[in-house]
Amino acid sequence: MSNKYVYLFEEGKTNMVSLLGGKGANLAEMTRIGLPVPPGFTITTEACNKYLELNQEFPTGLMDQALEALKTIETKTGKKFGDRDNPLLVSVRSGAAISMPGMMDTILNLGLNDETVLGLAKLTGDERFAYDCYRRFIQMFSNVVLELDHSMFDDVVERYKRKLSAIFDYEIPANELKQMIQEYNEIVKREKGFDFPQDVNEQLKISIQAVFGSWKNQRAIVYRRINKIPDDLGTAVTVQSMAFGNMGSDSGTGVAFTRNPSTGEKELYGEFLVNAQGEDVVAGIRTPTPISKLQEELPNVYEQFVDTCNKLEIHYRDLQDIEFTVEKGKLYMLQTRNGKRTAKAAVKTAVDMVAEGLITKEEALLRVDPEQINQLLHRQINTEIKIDSIAKGLPASPGAASGKVLFNADLAEKYGEAGEKVILVKAETSPDDIHGIVYAQGILTSRGGMTSHAAVVARGMGKPCVCGCESIKIDYKSKEFFVDDTVVKEGDIISLDGNTGNVMLGEVEMIEPTLSKEFETLLEWSDEVKKLEVRANADTPEDAAKAKEFGAHGIGLCRTEHMFMSPERLPIVQVMILAEDQVAREYALDQLLPFQKEDFYGIIKAMSPHPVTIRLLDPPLHEFLPDHDTLLLEIAEMKHNKVDEKLINEKEELLKKINSLSESNPMLGHRGCRLGLTYPEIYRMQAKAIFEAMTDLTKEGINNITEIEIPLVMDLSEFELLKQEILTVYEELQQKTGIELNFVIGTMIELPRACIVADEIAQEAEFFSFGTNDLTQTTLGFSRDDAEGKFIPTYLEKKIIKENPFAVLDRQGVGSLMKIAVEKAKATRENILIGICGEHGGDPNSIEFCHLLGLDYVSCSPYRIPVARLAAAQANLKNK
Ligand code: ADP
Ligand code: MG
Ligand code: MG
């Protein structure tokens, strides 16, 4: 006996997604719960994979099983496939386990040929309808299966419409449709060298093959690559009897969301197209009417539809994205799936559904993708300032973007990749534009509704999109678009507001985001659940305040080098570096002290009562000096202009110093605690600034805790020496003021050796913070700046690494070292505080690893704090 490759809708259910694909499994589920679904069956993804393995050969038994299932449909519908009097028509649909919108093609009205079309006409008494179905079928089949360009067929339609002065294709009468079909057949014959297949079983067979084959088409491959979908899932094929939306004004087709996928509001949201079939809505050819129109036009159907939507939400306990058709006043459900939504809607629906008793708090937390909520922390257009918009379309995907206008996806990709901000402007987008959309800041289309390709894809990617902006007229040839008298050329800058649908000329001012009420709620729930504390990497009081507002409980990394860089300080820093001896250096450092103290005071105060980790100076000193080549040029110019010798000499001295400080490998050079050991007065000054700031705060009654961090330690003795310096500074000050301060001294762990000897370092260090940027560089031997530009892309492509190790923590390598360090440190000092402050501290996957390692906190940039809070909660929920 052969494997079971075919499942009737009655035989499947939701949890069979990997076998039946999302579409097949949910059609089965809807059938099971008694919703009106046209009968059908699904051929498994396993069959697809076998077919591709067998070099495009059906596995044994597949076609027999399909024909057997078709008989069941015939019984249910009382129609017969290929019958000249009462023909059964079906759709052939693709569906992978993971939804890939628009990636695979659907064929409608299959089963029509020169004879069955007569039967359909007679049976329905509607010749026009029958021939409309037939010409659609030939058109789709020719395009999807025979791979003929659809424009050849579109041209025929356009020509007939012109001849008839018709606006819509449903205005073309039966006779003309017949002539068109003849022309279609001629095109097929001319292009392919054979006649359009009349045998319905043959039609079915090659359609199934085409769907299987489409798993390997270029756009599907690109989509999978972008979305990290494995290549070996395969697609299922669903064969389903047709429901006809093109049977007149009491028929039509639509798509809807059970809640607004843009805002999350609890309201039916969707579009309906009267007297139309399937693809017409999604293709954005005619702009459809809002779903509420259905209420006016077909109130009974609308009521049934609302009822069905409620049933679906209660059953799936989630927002549903629905496709449906109305045939002569009767509703048919054709698809449902959990709807893609914007971050805003994801947060709102999750929180609302808890209030509605539909889901638990834990489920709500797991439903929102931490990476996606990043969108909510993006900037918005400042609505306080009055900006004239030149056009207004549909607000299809929220957020705001500015960029150069480009009319072509290839160009958008090219410029986007080069770091330019671009806005892709098209009449409508198709799956072939995906690569351009990826690189665009925002999308503007002149046609199509809220569920058009552009809208769906943009929402999925979290990009602003304005679509159906009909007042703009695009001229691809001259590379410009018009709105009334305004001409916008390729390369001109425009701005889009995806929240309002406004299109504006030039770059407009944006404002910082704020958290919505629902977002705050979700983050509060996160805090109840998570084990990890979340801190921020912040170097200024402003960043510290922002971080606190976003829920940071402390600063995990405050870098002090930025404080050295500001214009009024840099000259003093340079004097310090160029100092001949220690006395001269200390003199310069004394001048820096008040600045540092003021910085620390501000930051510690902004974060009070939470702790602040302050890292002592880390980068090599030459970073504070002018660039070598620039200086060389300057000197040459001075000489040329015969400037005063003395001035030239000064510059030449500086050049010498730069030369003497230059290193062949700065990343592994004279930096971190090595600086502190060669120039202890620098760290002493910094310690003094910290303690004086803390003393002032204490006097003012402001709680303050600091963690003083010595960078780049690889051995206990380095740490001991510097710790002693710091403690000496403290004791001197304390003797003067009599005020005790609350601080600890620890180290950043960023070298493999430090991990290995962590037990020793922990004898003296009171805390560890993993600097995973440098730890990744030193463990893999990759220099980050070189690696990311030069060979990481190749490594990813060749699958040597799964992710960029600087974005997602390398658990196996770097992670193992961290594990050793944690275990050893805890063996020495049971309650040692351990956190992470590398870029990884804001990455959900890496945060999960930190949770599993039992770290105390993660630290990330202020804008990632909400992401980290949610990710930390999910890490605990997923690993309970
Ligand atoms: P996609 O994955 O691109 O959404 P579908 O298989 O869902 O492709 O088909 C696209 C559209 O074709 C559907 O939204 C629906 O309107 C129409 N369609 C598919 N099957 C049928 C059917 N059996 N009867 C009527 N319309 C159908
Ligand atoms: Mg499609
Ligand atoms: Mg669909």
Side-chain angles (χ1 to χ4, degrees), residues 485-590:
D485 297 338
T486 312
V487 184
V488 178
K489 293 196 165 40
E490 183 178 86
D492 287 357
I493 292 184
I494 59 166
S495 300
L496 303 180
D497 186 346
N499 300 320
T500 58
N502 282 325
V503 181
M504 290 139 289
L505 287 179
E507 193 164 345
V508 304
E509 190 186 313
M510 312 262 180
I511 48 165
E512 299 303 322
T514 49
L515 304 186
S516 71
K517 191 174 89 250
E518 287 87 3
F519 198 8
E520 297 269 17
T521 306
L522 195 78
L523 291 175
E524 278 161 25
W525 295 345
S526 300
D527 292 347
E528 290 166 17
V529 166
K530 72 181 169 51
K531 287 262 172 13
L532 280 167
E533 204 59 88
V534 176
R535 294 193 184 184
N537 296 349
D539 307 338
T540 64
E542 295 74 39
D543 278 359
K546 191 89 212 161
K548 202 166 156 194
E549 185 192 319
F550 282 154
H553 276 211
I555 288 179
L557 175 62
C558 169
R559 301 178 189 84
T560 51
E561 52 268 23
H562 293 174
M563 305 170 183
F564 280 29
M565 290 288 187
S566 67
E568 80 270 25
R569 303 174 194 184
L570 198 56
I572 312 176
V573 174
Q574 290 176 350
V575 170
M576 187 267 289
I577 295 171
L578 299 174
E580 293 294 328
D581 52 29
Q582 193 181 333
V583 178
R585 192 158 29 248
E586 277 179 347
Y587 179 77
L589 284 166
D590 276 346

Side-chain angles (χ1 to χ4, degrees), residues 102-106 279:
M103 287 298 119
M104 310 274 180
D105 293 302
T106 300
E279 300 281 279

Side-chain angles (χ1 to χ4, degrees), residues 23 38 91 93-94 102 104 106 108 240-244 253 255 277-279 282 323-325 334-335 337:
K23 201 180 286 171
S91 62
R93 319 173 60 187
S94 61
M104 310 274 180
T106 300
L108 302 179
Q240 184 179 27
S241 64
M242 287 297 300
F244 296 107
T253 179
V255 291
Q277 222 178 32
E279 300 281 279
V282 203
E323 295 174 13
F324 66 100
T325 280
L334 294 173
Q335 192 171 337
R337 61 185 156 209

Side-chain angles (χ1 to χ4, degrees), residues 31 115 195 202 221 332 559 580 781:
T31 307
E115 288 192 341
D195 289 319
E202 184 66 15
I221 291 171
Y332 290 98
R559 301 178 189 84
E580 293 294 328

